[in-house]
Amino acid sequence: MRRHASAEAICNSRWLFHLTVDLWHSPPDLSDDGVDGVEVVENRRATTVGQRHHVVRHELRIDPSEGHAALIDLVRQCDEFDVRMEHLTVGDYCLDRGIVVERKTYADFAISLADGRLFSQAATLARCPHRPVILLEGPRPPRMPDFHPHALKGAMVSLAVMWRLPVLCARDPEDSLRILRFLAHQLGTSAHGPLKRYDRKPKRLASRKLYMLQGLPGGGPALAHRLLLEFGSVERVVTAEEEELMRVPGVGRAKAARIRELMS
């Protein structure tokens, strides 16, 4: 039997973050910005060699339906997550109130495809204001429900292309933990990094929304991210009343009034 790596060993391998493919950002191009980005990563890697990283704890809300999943024991042993069990209206895991993860084993995936739940869940995920992800967790069981392999592969393609829901595959619960850590890192990076408002405009839809919201009076990358999480769309932000805007941390009465004045 293969011996699994412990959760402690997984959590201590923080250097892996610098080798991770950026799951959220657009693929780099050959422009000057792309070259600068490589240099920044290299410099960051050089300055962190031999140094102990400061542990940043991420809020991870988990639906009680996941109570028997092996992944829960692993995240509780990992010092990077503040785990809270609470009912979620969508998904099984909510990371830093920014990413929603629907976890399925291979058998769950096949059964939900057979009984029609898969695409109704996909519709709910696609409508949520957070970034949705489907996590397909192994190992693949020796016996699967009686399905043609093309049906499962076709369902994955449909989710990724037609519903625009990323399907991330994990070999086992330990691999799922790594993916959660990578997601937390990527979310923290994208939430605080400013989007340049000159030269080339962002291509991804989510980045274009943040790009627009950063142009609001007193706006910035952090406030744009909070506004989008609170209201779910640019349209709801620009049509919100002052009292609604003031529910967002960092928006006082004066700033809310300036936003409404601009939109009136």
Side-chain angles (χ1 to χ4, degrees):
M1 180 181 296
R2 183 173 65 88
R3 185 175 182 181
H4 293 300
S6 66
E8 181 180 1
I10 295 170
C11 294
N12 287 335
S13 59
R14 292 184 173 85
W15 59 271
L16 286 172
F17 282 124
H18 302 292
L19 305 178
T20 307
V21 175
D22 191 332
L23 299 177
W24 294 110
H25 296 166
S26 299
D29 53 28
L30 298 179
S31 65
D32 292 341
D33 290 342
V35 175
D36 291 340
V38 173
E39 292 177 353
V40 169
V41 172
E42 293 296 335
N43 291 338
R44 186 183 304 157
R45 186 181 306 166
T47 57
T48 55
V49 172
Q51 298 179 2
R52 185 176 182 84
H53 291 269
H54 174 68
V55 176
V56 177
R57 293 182 65 84
H58 301 276
E59 179 190 71
L60 183 63
R61 296 184 294 156
I62 305 176
D63 192 86
S65 63
E66 288 285 293
H68 298 293
L71 179 57
I72 290 186
D73 293 332
L74 294 174
V75 296
R76 281 176 170 160
Q77 295 173 44
C78 184
D79 59 0
E80 294 184 22
F81 295 107
D82 179 14
V83 178
R84 303 179 186 181
M85 302 295 294
E86 62 179 79
H87 174 70
L88 301 178
T89 57
V90 58
D92 299 314
Y93 300 81
C94 184
L95 180 59
D96 283 341
R97 301 180 186 270
I99 296 177
V100 168
V101 179
E102 176 74 25
R103 187 190 70 90
K104 289 186 178 297
T105 63
Y106 278 89
D108 289 338
F109 189 86
I111 293 172
S112 62
L113 177 60
D115 62 20
R117 288 183 297 114
L118 181 62
F119 292 109
S120 63
Q121 290 175 336
T124 303
L125 285 168
R127 287 195 300 264
C128 80
H130 308 303
R131 297 180 180 183
V133 171
I134 294 178
L135 177 61
L136 187 57
E137 183 180 277
R140 191 179 183 119
R143 296 188 61 183
M144 287 282 289
D146 189 15
F147 260 98
H148 194 286
H150 290 179
L152 298 178
K153 190 67 68 175
M156 294 181 194
V157 171
S158 179
L159 291 170
V161 178
M162 306 308 297
W163 293 91
R164 298 188 178 183
L165 296 174
V167 180
L168 306 180
C169 297
R171 295 186 301 272
D172 47 37
E174 287 86 356
D175 204 23
S176 293
L177 175 62
R178 293 188 184 95
I179 289 176
L180 287 180
R181 294 177 61 237
F182 293 156
L183 290 173
H185 174 72
Q186 294 294 327
L187 181 62
T189 301
S190 63
H192 302 292
L195 297 173
K196 296 180 180 180
R197 297 192 59 81
Y198 56 87
D199 197 18
R200 296 186 177 183
K201 296 180 174 60
K203 297 179 181 179
R204 292 182 61 252
L205 179 60
S207 297
R208 292 203 302 268
K209 291 179 180 180
L210 292 172
Y211 177 85
M212 291 180 63
L213 294 177
Q214 286 183 31
L216 294 175
L223 180 57
H225 183 72
R226 291 196 297 269
L227 286 168
L228 195 57
L229 287 181
E230 175 68 27
F231 293 101
S233 69
V234 174
E235 180 182 13
R236 292 181 60 189
V237 172
V238 299
T239 58
E241 299 296 333
E242 288 186 23
E243 296 299 327
E244 295 176 305
L245 291 169
M246 289 170 60
R247 293 202 306 261
V248 179
V251 179
R253 187 169 298 277
K255 185 177 293 185
R258 295 205 311 273
I259 294 175
R260 286 305 313 143
E261 181 182 12
L262 177 65
M263 296 302 156
S264 300

